[in-house]
Amino acid sequence: MTEYENAPGDSTRSVHAGRPEARPHEPALPGPVFAAHFHLPGDVSGPYTYGRDENPTWTRLEEAISALESPDADAETLVFSSGMGAISSVLLSQVRTGDTVVLPSDCYQATRSLRGRLEEYGVEVRLAPTAGDAQAEMLHGAKLLWIETPSNPGLDVCDIRRLADAAHAAGALVAVDNTLATPLGQRPLDLGADFSVASGTKALSGHGDLLLGYVTTRRPELAAQVRLWRKTVGAIPGPMEAWLAHRSLSTLALRVDRQAANALALTAALLERPEVTDVRHPGHPEDSAHAVAAAQMARFGSVVSFTLPDKAHAERFLSALLLTTEATSFGSVTSTAERRARWGGDAVPEGFVRFSVGVEDAADIVRDVLHALDAAK
């Protein structure tokens, strides 16, 4: 990409990140490389030796994500077969028997499900909620602090800089799950984190058609440890998934900007409904997390959460939606919603709904939701 006096904007960076320089008669983004092995004469040397170690399609995507997560400093990104592949790689590559990990008590339930495995390995796991930076009280003697902000599904927010400074003072590493915010909404490495981790399944790729995860760090020794873990357990993405994710980055800024605006419109409409309680979106000025979120986030994500009176009411609401799909993911171009308590792993009421706005017209999303709320009565 041509050098400019001023740094490129988020949309420009998203379009060009990780793409090769333009060459006559070659594609702007080369297609996926399908290879289990590469020609390898003589002694082993890189960059590509075996399909479980590296792949040129991964490399382009990894360079692109690094350019978004850390545009002003060198960083390394490792892509994985799923978000949980990325999450477990950080936790399990960094801690040993006798270490202590601090997790959010309200984070993604699959992340919390690692607690049992960690404890089986002799690792102490401490839990504290996201809101109010409560994890700061749990850091004595810890090896790693795991932060998820905004939290999924409750959408609480914590001060990454404050917690990272406190963790480092206690001798702990810091990992931030950046899935909901995306690197265009929040840059954890700029705020002091050692790792930025995310599920690329969600808003990063944004079309609900692939599974992917990634880990980004500015510390080469940490990247090497995570890379070895990926190679050892084989949690690698397919080249087609990596290529699709890279292609989708071109519209990332367009998608997240549209979704942020749509989320605010939906939040405002929900706040007018008497049967809807505990409406949450960190971008709304009345949200309890807004002040902290606004200080560290450029965009506030696609997810809105709210609670209906009970399970039956929520089920009637979801079945009456016409435009919105009932599904468990978020961040897609299509609006999705679900009654989160159906999974049994989150401390939420039976009528709690996690709603992910898509890029449809805001008026159509709001109309669909209001229609479904009226029908659910």
Side-chain angles (χ1 to χ4, degrees):
M1 186 175 171
T2 303
E3 292 294 330
Y4 292 95
E5 182 178 350
N6 297 316
D10 284 344
S11 193
T12 303
R13 186 179 287 112
S14 298
V15 169
H16 292 278
R19 292 177 179 252
E21 292 184 5
R23 294 184 178 90
H25 319 300
E26 293 189 9
L29 180 62
V33 175
F34 297 99
H37 54 80
F38 302 84
H39 294 300
L40 188 63
D43 292 335
V44 175
S45 61
Y48 304 109
T49 59
Y50 185 63
R52 196 177 70 252
D53 297 340
E54 297 289 349
N55 179 288
T57 311
W58 305 352
T59 300
R60 294 188 192 97
L61 176 60
E62 289 169 343
E63 290 174 351
I65 294 173
S66 292
L68 300 181
E69 285 278 358
S70 183
D72 301 318
D74 290 341
E76 293 183 63
T77 294
L78 287 304
V79 290
F80 287 81
S81 52
S82 69
M84 281 309 300
I87 289 167
S88 60
S89 78
V90 172
L91 286 167
L92 298 176
S93 70
Q94 297 305 309
V95 300
R96 303 289 185 271
T97 299
D99 288 340
T100 297
V101 171
V102 180
L103 296 178
S105 57
D106 53 343
C107 67
Y108 177 46
Q109 60 172 298
T111 303
R112 278 183 283 111
S113 72
L114 286 170
R115 177 183 182 179
R117 181 51 52 93
L118 289 166
E119 290 177 338
E120 288 175 359
Y121 291 163
V123 175
E124 179 186 353
V125 178
R126 301 171 186 163
L127 299 175
T130 298
D133 301 342
Q135 291 173 285
E137 304 301 318
M138 300 284 185
L139 294 172
H140 175 71
K143 174 66 180 296
L144 188 145
L145 167 65
W146 189 273
I147 297 171
E148 184 179 280
T149 181
S151 62
N152 173 28
L155 301 182
D156 277 318
V157 173
C158 60
D159 186 329
I160 296 174
R161 172 65 70 184
R162 180 187 175 215
L163 286 173
D165 288 348
H168 290 153
L173 294 168
V174 178
V176 176
D177 187 326
N178 205 33
T179 301
L180 199 146
T182 81
L184 298 191
Q186 182 171 265
R187 293 179 185 151
L189 302 182
D190 285 351
L191 298 168
D194 300 290
F195 299 98
S196 183
V197 187
S199 168
T201 307
K202 310 300 193 294
L204 189 87
S205 57
H207 290 76
D209 55 8
L210 61 89
L211 296 177
L212 195 86
Y214 71 85
V215 178
T216 304
T217 180
R218 291 174 178 167
R219 295 177 56 178
E221 75 279 10
L222 297 181
Q225 292 163 9
V226 173
R227 179 176 283 104
L228 178 60
W229 181 265
R230 181 180 68 177
K231 174 181 177 178
T232 303
V233 302
I236 58 171
M240 192 66 193
E241 286 78 6
W243 185 86
L244 285 169
H246 197 172
R247 182 204 61 176
S248 298
L249 286 183
S250 296
T251 60
L252 178 59
L254 299 175
R255 290 186 280 107
V256 296
D257 282 344
R258 180 64 170 262
Q259 288 169 317
N262 286 350
L264 285 175
L266 178 59
T267 300
L270 290 169
L271 288 169
E272 298 296 320
R273 300 289 298 212
E275 76 273 35
V276 179
T277 59
D278 196 26
V279 180
R280 298 297 306 274
H281 179 65
H284 195 277
E286 296 179 14
D287 191 273
S288 60
H290 180 69
V292 177
Q296 64 190 18
M297 298 182 73
R299 296 170 175 86
F300 300 100
S302 65
V303 178
V304 179
S305 68
F306 55 94
T307 302
L308 294 172
D310 53 39
K311 174 182 178 180
H313 197 124
E315 294 286 2
R316 292 196 302 272
F317 164 75
L318 291 166
S319 65
L321 291 166
L322 301 176
L323 181 71
T324 303
T325 301
E326 190 171 357
T328 192
S329 195
F330 60 86
S332 175
V333 291
T334 58
S335 292
T336 61
E338 73 167 335
R339 191 180 65 82
R340 191 63 188 166
R342 65 180 177 172
W343 295 97
D346 297 308
V348 295
E350 287 293 333
F352 178 95
V353 175
R354 185 181 69 183
F355 195 107
S356 173
V357 299
V359 300
E360 303 95 344
D361 289 297
D364 292 327
I365 296 172
V366 170
R367 185 183 301 112
D368 189 38
V369 170
L370 295 182
H371 161 80
L373 288 172
D374 289 339
K377 289 182 179 180

